[in-house]
């Protein structure tokens, strides 16, 4: 299945989104709405599991978008119940960019004390070794997903309850995980001890909701209560409400800083901060660090927009929509000829020629990964008659792959892994190129003194190469992690 935007291969792919509710009528409808709000986190496939007293567990897993699969009355009628969880997926690096229906979550397992379903956002960095061990002991895997390891570990646990079994299973797991799970009556949420991926708690009437982001609570009219803490497990029932446990050894939190830069929706709240305001602050910091004389500040739509606004406000250079995005460029676009394929990014973006002609333009984007799209956009701007093109990037150079649930190219395919900033400027053919510094990014997200090199407040491995959890499976395959001396 093609990516959501066939010509946009120069972005880090969103990882996954999870959502769950308990104590509401027609839970599946709430889950579908929540997943729709989280669609930016995964567009390849989605699934919903519910439980009803009469029909038991019910599930539907589909390839494609939520709006195309979970809006018909026929589909929603097979998902009755007052409790349900769901998942939207984009396949991560380990799956080689392809999703099969067998890999679509939530996964379901039947245990001695009853059934349970689980949906996972993140990546298990020791999944290969766990999988080998489980297969040697007789487990039979139905998918290629690392998340299925959790179900098998739960099956081998001797815990008396499903939450007990989940705790035991997750203690054997390394990496990043935000999980929503369900039994017949319980909604369960859990974050890894570092809290790399987000998970929030909401209240809707007499019921409760768990979601990857607050924007998914907004769409169902739920009240945001709080974030699930790093290393916390919550067990929620309609009768007793929220029970909190901390099954893991305490650790210093390392939330993914790229959630602030790109992954999360700008209308979400992370760590008590508006994502939109944080991105605007990033633009302001970028303008302080990398000023340039120009006539217009233009975002690369849509992810560069808040940072471009911040850059404009800080610099005093007018903001303008110099590039217009075709909002109807969908995943089903067919490429009938080589000529159309060569049009590339022009099928998605078009330059506002009357605005650009003769102007010195600052283009603000959230990141540069391979650099392919950046070169095409630069060519479009120059073809439209721009006098100068200056790139300003609202994140530091992405020089290291992510192993915590983000589909990142191999390191040698990351432009910043093989080129200096000056070499990248020459490669892209722009008049200037500047990235925000890592300290500047930290200041923008609220760390006034910048990054503490001895105790960074975030996971920034994609920029620094310092992995808070060793990517043991990848190291086993020969990946050279950064040493302390570097």
């Amino acid at each position: 299945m093609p990516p959501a935007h066939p010509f946009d291969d120069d972005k880090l792919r969103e990882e996954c989104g999870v959502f769950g509710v308990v104590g509401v009528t027609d839970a599946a409808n709430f889950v579908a709405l929540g997943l729709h709000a989280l669609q930016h986190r995964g567009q390849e496939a989605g699934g919903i599991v519910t439980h009803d007293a009469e029909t038991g567990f019910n599930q539907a897993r589909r390839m494609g978008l939520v709006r195309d699969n979970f809006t018909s009355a026929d589909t929603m009628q097979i998902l009755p119940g007052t409790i349900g969880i769901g998942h939207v997926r984009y396949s991560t690096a380990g799956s080689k960019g392809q999703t099969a229906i067998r890999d679509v979550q939530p996964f379901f397992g039947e245990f001695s004390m009853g059934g349970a379903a689980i949906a996972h956002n993140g990546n298990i960095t020791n999944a290969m070794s766990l999988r080998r061990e489980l297969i040697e002991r007789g487990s039979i895997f139905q998918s290629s997903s690392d998340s299925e390891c959790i179900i098998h570990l739960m099956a081998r646990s001797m815990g008396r309850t499903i939450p007990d079994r989940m705790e035991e299973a997750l203690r054997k797991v390394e990496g990043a995980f935000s999980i929503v799970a369900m039994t017949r009556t319980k909604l369960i949420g859990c974050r890894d001890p570092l809290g790399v991926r987000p998970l929030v708690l909401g209240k809707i009437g007499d019921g409760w909701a768990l979601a990857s982001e607050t924007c998914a609570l907004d769409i169902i009219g739920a009240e945001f209560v709080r974030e699930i803490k790093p290393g916390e497990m919550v067990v929620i029932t309609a009768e007793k409400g929220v029970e909190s446990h901390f099954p893991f050894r305490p650790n210093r939190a390392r939330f993914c800083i790229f959630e602030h830069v790109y992954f999360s929706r700008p209308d979400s709240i992370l760590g008590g901060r508006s994502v939109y305001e944080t991105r605007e602050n990033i633009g302001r910091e970028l303008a302080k660090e990398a000023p340039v004389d120009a006539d217009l500040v233009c975002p690369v739509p849509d992810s560069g927009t808040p940072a471009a606004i911040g850059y404009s406000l800080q610099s005093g250079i007018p903001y303008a929509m110099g590039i217009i995005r075709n909002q109807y460029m969908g995943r089903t676009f067919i490429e009938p000829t080589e000529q159309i394929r060569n049009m590339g990014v022009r099928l998605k973006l078009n330059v506002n020629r009357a605005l650009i002609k003769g102007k010195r333009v600052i283009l603000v984007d959230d990141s540069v990964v391979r650099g392919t799209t950046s070169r095409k956009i630069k060519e479009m701007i120059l073809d439209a008659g721009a006098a100068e093109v200056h790139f300003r990037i609202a994140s530091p150079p992405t020089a290291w792959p992510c192993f915590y649930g983000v589909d990142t190219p191999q390191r040698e395919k990351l432009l910043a892994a093989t080129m200096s900033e000056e070499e990248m400027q020459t490669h892209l053919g722009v008049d200037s190129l500047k990235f925000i510094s890592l300290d500047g990014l930290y200041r923008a997200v609220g760390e006034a003194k910048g990054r503490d090199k001895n105790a960074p407040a975030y996971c920034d491995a994609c920029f620094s190469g310092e992995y808070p959890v060793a990517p043991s499976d990848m190291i086993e395959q020969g990946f050279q992690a950064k040493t302390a001396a570097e």
Side-chain angles (χ1 to χ4, degrees):
M1 178 169 286
H5 301 294
F7 302 106
D8 188 6
D9 64 346
D10 199 22
K11 296 290 184 186
L12 299 183
R13 296 293 181 185
E14 301 88 340
E15 55 291 3
C16 298
V18 295
F19 189 87
V21 289
V22 64
V24 297
T25 303
D26 296 325
N29 290 324
F30 287 93
V31 175
L33 286 168
L35 295 181
H36 180 71
L38 298 172
Q39 192 77 84
H40 59 288
R41 301 186 72 88
Q43 300 92 46
E44 283 196 346
I48 296 175
V49 174
T50 63
H51 183 271
D52 177 70
E54 293 184 6
T55 61
F57 284 95
N58 313 280
Q59 63 179 326
R61 297 187 292 170
R62 304 284 189 269
M63 306 302 296
L65 302 176
V66 174
R67 71 183 182 207
D68 298 329
N69 291 306
F70 295 103
T71 53
S72 72
D74 290 343
T75 300
M76 304 315 284
Q77 282 176 0
I78 67 171
L79 295 168
T82 59
I83 182 172
I85 64 171
H87 186 271
V88 286
R89 182 177 198 270
Y90 185 89
S91 54
T92 52
S95 61
K96 300 180 180 178
Q98 306 223 340
T99 292
I101 195 67
R102 64 177 187 161
D103 295 324
V104 180
Q105 299 184 43
F107 292 133
F108 177 79
E110 194 73 58
F111 305 102
S112 59
M113 68 285 293
I118 185 170
H120 167 218
N121 169 213
N123 203 48
I124 299 172
T125 56
N126 64 334
M128 288 172 55
S129 56
L130 285 174
R131 193 181 185 99
R132 279 197 306 267
E133 179 183 339
L134 287 163
I135 290 173
E136 288 171 359
R137 294 184 179 184
S139 293
I140 299 173
F141 280 76
Q142 301 296 316
S143 77
S144 63
S145 173
D146 60 345
S147 308
E148 192 181 352
C149 288
I150 301 170
I151 289 284
H152 288 284
L153 290 169
M154 289 172 64
R156 292 188 171 274
S157 167
M158 299 303 291
R160 292 190 307 161
T161 68
I162 286 174
D164 289 342
R165 291 191 173 205
M166 184 176 293
E167 285 188 16
E168 184 177 332
L170 293 177
R171 288 193 192 102
K172 299 176 182 178
V173 164
E174 298 172 4
F177 53 84
S178 281
I179 287 171
V180 295
M182 60 175 280
T183 68
R184 289 169 292 182
T185 58
K186 296 173 181 176
L187 178 65
I188 305 166
C190 188
R191 287 178 79 187
D192 68 79
L194 299 181
V196 177
R197 304 259 74 91
L199 190 64
V200 298
L201 173 68
K203 189 79 171 67
I204 171 128
D206 294 329
W208 297 87
L210 291 168
S212 289
E213 296 181 38
T214 60
C215 63
L217 301 179
D218 295 337
I219 199 173
I220 65 167
E223 175 191 358
F224 169 58
V225 176
R226 64 177 178 88
E227 295 186 2
I228 303 302
K229 297 175 182 177
E232 181 183 14
M233 175 183 283
V234 291
V235 180
I236 310 171
T237 61
E239 296 78 18
K240 295 182 180 180
V242 181
E243 298 177 3
S244 178
H245 310 273
F246 288 88
F248 309 108
R249 184 179 302 170
N251 212 324
R252 183 167 46 83
R254 296 288 296 275
F255 182 64
C256 171
I257 201 167
F258 211 76
E259 290 278 357
H260 287 289
V261 174
Y262 176 64
F263 289 137
S264 294
R265 254 176 51 168
D267 52 333
S268 285
I269 305 294
L270 292 178
R273 297 172 59 86
S274 158
V275 174
Y276 179 91
E277 290 178 2
T278 296
R279 291 178 185 167
E280 186 180 294
N281 287 342
I282 293 172
R284 289 180 180 273
E285 286 290 335
L286 187 54
K288 294 174 186 176
E289 292 187 349
V292 62
D293 288 332
D295 303 305
L296 295 175
V297 177
C298 300
V300 176
D302 289 320
S303 53
T305 300
I309 291 171
Y311 194 105
S312 172
L313 291 171
Q314 183 65 38
S315 66
I317 300 171
Y319 170 88
M321 293 295 293
I323 302 173
I324 306 301
R325 179 182 175 186
N326 178 2
Q327 300 293 337
Y328 300 97
M329 175 67 184
R331 65 186 304 115
T332 57
F333 190 89
I334 299 171
E335 309 165 61
T337 67
E338 184 68 24
Q339 181 181 8
I340 287 181
R341 280 193 290 271
N342 289 337
M343 290 178 184
V345 75
R346 294 176 186 270
L347 290 167
K348 180 183 177 184
L349 304 173
N350 191 42
V351 176
N352 191 341
R353 290 176 172 268
L355 196 67
I356 292 296
K357 187 175 182 180
K359 300 294 197 312
R360 298 168 298 170
V361 179
I362 301 170
L363 291 178
V364 180
D365 204 355
D366 60 272
S367 60
V368 172
V369 182
R370 295 180 179 89
T372 51
T373 301
S374 299
R375 291 185 71 176
K376 292 173 184 175
I377 290 172
K378 178 267 303 184
E379 291 167 1
M380 290 168 59
I381 294 290
L382 289 178
D383 288 348
E388 296 176 7
V389 179
H390 303 271
F391 262 114
R392 293 297 179 266
I393 310 301
S395 62
T398 305
W400 296 84
C402 174
F403 300 116
Y404 305 133
V406 180
D407 186 48
T408 314
Q410 295 175 333
R411 186 161 192 247
E412 58 269 21
K413 295 182 180 180
L414 295 169
L415 203 64
T418 58
M419 295 184 186
S420 67
E421 192 172 282
E422 293 74 19
E423 289 169 333
M424 283 189 278
Q425 177 183 332
T426 301
H427 174 76
L428 296 176
V430 292
D431 293 280
S432 71
L433 169 69
K434 294 292 181 183
F435 296 80
I436 193 170
S437 69
L438 197 47
D439 279 337
L441 179 57
Y442 267 74
R443 287 192 293 270
V445 299
E447 300 292 321
K449 295 181 180 179
R451 183 180 190 266
D452 183 341
K453 295 180 181 179
N454 298 316
Y458 290 88
C459 175
D460 53 34
C462 54
F463 308 131
S464 67
E466 298 175 15
Y467 294 94
V469 179
S472 53
D473 282 345
M474 299 309 298
I475 291 172
E476 183 180 313
Q477 294 183 62
F479 175 76
Q480 297 294 317
K482 189 173 182 180
T483 65
E486 293 179 281

